[in-house]
Amino acid sequence: MDDKKLMIFLPTLNERKNLEYLLPRFEALPLKDFIILVVDDQSDDGTEDYLRNYRSARFQIELVRRPPPSGRGYAGREAFRIARQRAVDILVEMDADGSHDPAELPRLLKGLAETSADLVIGSRRSCLMKSFDQWSFLRQCMSLLSNFYARLILGVSVWDCNTGYRCYSQAAVRLLSQADLKAAGSNIIHEVLYVVHHHRMKIAEVPITFHARQHGKTRKRVRDLIIAFGTCLLMRTPFWNHNPPATASD
């Protein structure tokens, strides 16, 4: 990894307390000289001040404050674009709420190297297939159901389609930065997975231990499940063009 340029992407919206928990955990990693890219949707909880004052000898923090409209999909597209511009070798995506442990990152990076995959997913299968006391029963059922229909509709041979803990190769970053991604919200998770699959890139899974968010609340509603289901169906239609523009260049 010493010769690889690594960028870690964290999408944020009022996650200062979780960043206070998360960033010190990156200090303990057996990695150095990497970039943490925070794409922020105009947080008003002091996130910007905290990040601009944080100092580390192991990594560099880059903060991008996005103008409206806000949304996980817009943040993801911005991250792919920046990663391609910076010519990073590996882009890591993870949630900023503390549910993804930085200590698991070396295992994902190892999986990317050993499998020669373009996308390695941190799979929560072992957590979701048993009683997970940090989630409500309804939340757990919704996650299992959405994973099932995403696999069925998108035709991907991946168990955990919903996880946001992922490692992308440089080739995958190039593809995704040029692709006509349309998802505005969290359903970009499914869209990106399908685009990589659609272009016959290799996808691998590495088991991780998943945690509930450290601070704040994540609201998952049945309405979100229905929207994600509809989005998966649309991805299989001509409306959803997955190919990069013919004029795109490296």
Side-chain angles (χ1 to χ4, degrees), residues 171-189:
V173 168
R174 187 183 307 114
L175 168 68
L176 294 166
S177 67
Q178 296 174 337
D180 185 19
L181 300 178
K182 296 181 175 64
S186 59
N187 46 3
I188 191 176
I189 294 296

Side-chain angles (χ1 to χ4, degrees), residues 39-103:
V39 181
D40 183 70
D41 277 345
Q42 299 294 315
S43 296
D44 58 7
D45 65 344
T47 291
E48 181 177 8
D49 290 340
Y50 175 70
L51 291 174
R52 296 205 185 281
N53 290 317
Y54 191 93
R55 296 292 180 268
S56 172
R58 302 189 69 83
F59 56 82
Q60 173 188 350
I61 296 176
E62 293 191 17
L63 172 64
V64 175
R65 294 266 290 176
R66 286 195 60 263
S70 63
R72 176 69 182 76
Y74 297 112
R77 275 177 273 184
E78 185 77 4
F80 291 128
R81 182 187 65 79
I82 293 172
R84 178 169 174 255
Q85 284 183 341
R86 304 291 170 80
V88 302
D89 296 297
I90 299 171
L91 176 67
V92 175
E93 173 184 17
M94 60 191 297
D95 292 346
D97 60 6
S99 59
H100 299 149
D101 190 348

Side-chain angles (χ1 to χ4, degrees), residues 230-244:
T231 302
C232 285
L233 290 175
L234 280 173
M235 286 181 205
R236 300 305 302 268
T237 69
F239 167 76
W240 218 283
N241 177 22
H242 307 102
N243 297 312

Side-chain angles (χ1 to χ4, degrees), residues 6 8-10 18-31 34 36 54 59 92-110 165 167 208-211 214:
L6 173 66
I8 299 171
F9 158 52
L10 303 175
N18 288 313
L19 290 171
E20 290 174 353
Y21 163 82
L22 195 62
L23 291 189
R25 297 182 71 85
F26 285 110
E27 305 282 0
L29 293 179
L31 304 169
F34 57 96
I36 294 182
Y54 191 93
F59 56 82
V92 175
E93 173 184 17
M94 60 191 297
D95 292 346
D97 60 6
S99 59
H100 299 149
D101 190 348
E104 307 265 14
L105 180 53
R107 295 177 60 242
L108 269 70
L109 295 174
K110 183 180 179 182
Y165 204 169
C167 289
I208 62 168
T209 301
F210 181 70
H211 309 276
Q214 294 296 312

